[in-house]
């Protein structure tokens, strides 16, 4: 099976070297398609591809609007804004926010940005499929609780808002009020 005098490890090493040589040979033909893909994204001043993301000013506007709506309905809330990668950009915790919200809200925002869909919509679509529900919840990073909404600018998801402290319906109302304020 192997050339005489070659061990299995040596033969595998030769195969790896052949694959690497082939990749180097193909690199010039792949480069234009990679460069073309990067040029479709926004570009920073140094030429690196940059994905659109939420700004601090936008995050602050969302927090202010969410707090105003939460005060209007008299429900203290914890609100988390994440960027397009699911990393926290800003948050606010109102006085008397239930302690459970501190654990439940960040996954709402992360789920909404990851799936680019409101969490309550994901819950509705998964309701009849227990395997899908289990897969969402298996990692501990995702949730199907209402109150996670993607933030969209010019058709691109630039982050998400996670809201908690009330009922799932109240959380969604506060999140939607914040998004409406940002759009307006």
């Amino acid at each position: 099976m192997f050339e005489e005098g070659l061990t299995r490890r040596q033969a595998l090493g030769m195969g790896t070297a052949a694959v690497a040589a082939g990749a180097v040979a193909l690199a010039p033909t792949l480069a234009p398609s990679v460069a073309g893909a990067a040029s479709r994204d926004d570009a920073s001043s140094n030429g690196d591809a940059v994905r659109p993301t939420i700004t601090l000013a936008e995050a602050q506007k969302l927090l202010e609007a969410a707090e105003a709506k939460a005060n209007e309905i008299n429900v203290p809330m914890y609100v988390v804004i994440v960027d397009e990668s699911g990393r926290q950009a800003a948050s606010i915790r109102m006085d008397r926010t239930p302690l459970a919200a501190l654990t439940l809200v960040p996954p709402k925002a992360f789920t909404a940005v990851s799936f680019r869909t409101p969490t309550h919509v994901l819950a509705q679509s998964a309701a009849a499929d227990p395997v899908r529900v289990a897969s969402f919840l298996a990692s501990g990073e995702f949730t199907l609780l209402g109150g996670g909404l993607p933030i969209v600018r010019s058709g691109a998801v630039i982050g998400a808002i996670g809201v908690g402290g009330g009922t799932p319906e109240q959380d969604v109302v506060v999140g939607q009020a914040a998004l409406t304020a940002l759009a307006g």
Side-chain angles (χ1 to χ4, degrees):
M1 179 149 47
F2 298 112
E3 281 188 44
E4 190 172 320
L6 286 181
T7 66
R8 180 181 177 102
R9 179 171 286 175
Q10 289 169 328
L12 288 173
M14 290 174 64
T16 302
V19 170
V24 169
L26 286 175
T29 61
L30 295 176
S33 63
V34 172
S39 67
R40 287 190 294 269
D41 292 335
D42 294 336
S44 66
S45 60
N46 65 3
D48 293 336
V50 177
R51 296 188 313 201
T53 191
I54 190 158
T55 65
L56 180 58
E58 290 169 323
Q60 289 172 330
K61 187 170 185 176
L62 286 163
L63 292 177
E64 290 169 6
E67 183 179 19
K69 186 64 174 182
N71 282 328
E72 178 186 314
I73 66 173
N74 198 31
V75 178
M77 298 274 181
Y78 178 43
V79 182
V80 172
I81 310 296
V82 298
D83 66 12
E84 86 294 344
S85 298
R87 301 293 177 226
Q88 186 169 322
S91 67
I92 186 170
R93 178 182 174 197
M94 298 173 66
D95 294 339
R96 300 181 339 271
T97 299
L99 186 60
L102 300 178
T103 301
L104 298 174
V105 171
K108 292 180 182 189
F110 186 74
T111 302
V113 77
S114 296
F115 290 93
R116 292 161 163 42
T117 304
T119 53
H120 67 281
V121 172
L122 285 171
Q124 291 166 354
S125 69
D129 187 352
V131 173
R132 188 167 184 213
V133 170
S135 71
F136 275 116
L137 306 178
S139 73
E141 293 183 291
F142 302 117
T143 184
L144 295 175
L145 295 173
L149 303 157
I151 304 164
V152 180
R153 182 194 324 124
S154 302
V157 174
I158 60 168
I161 183 171
V163 181
T167 65
E169 294 78 16
Q170 290 169 324
D171 297 346
V172 171
V173 165
V174 169
Q176 287 176 332
L179 293 177
T180 299
L182 181 64

